[in-house]
Amino acid sequence: MARKPNYNFEKRQKDLARQKKKEEKLQKKALKKDAQGNDIPDSEESEGATEEGQASE
């Protein structure tokens, strides 16, 4: 008699592979964004400028 397949194990392995692939994709995207220098939003730059302006007054 053949053993029953363990579907839960197979499903878990597929989920882990899917999650790993997704994390790698996000890391690549983050590295690409860092290389372009677009990681600083405009709102942070404008806040720094207003704080400097207030300090000089």
Side-chain angles (χ1 to χ4, degrees), residues 19-30:
Q19 185 177 8
K20 184 178 176 183
K21 186 176 180 181
K22 186 176 181 180
E23 288 175 357
E24 289 174 354
K25 186 177 180 181
L26 288 173
Q27 287 178 348
K28 284 183 182 180
K29 191 174 183 181

Side-chain angles (χ1 to χ4, degrees), residues 8-44:
N8 287 329
F9 177 77
E10 292 177 13
K11 184 176 189 275
R12 179 73 177 142
Q13 293 302 310
K14 285 182 183 179
D15 288 342
L16 289 173
R18 203 175 292 129
Q19 185 177 8
K20 184 178 176 183
K21 186 176 180 181
K22 186 176 181 180
E23 288 175 357
E24 289 174 354
K25 186 177 180 181
L26 288 173
Q27 287 178 348
K28 284 183 182 180
K29 191 174 183 181
L31 289 174
K32 186 177 181 182
K33 189 175 184 181
D34 288 343
Q36 292 177 348
N38 295 334
D39 57 341
I40 303 173
D42 292 338
S43 61
E44 289 181 5

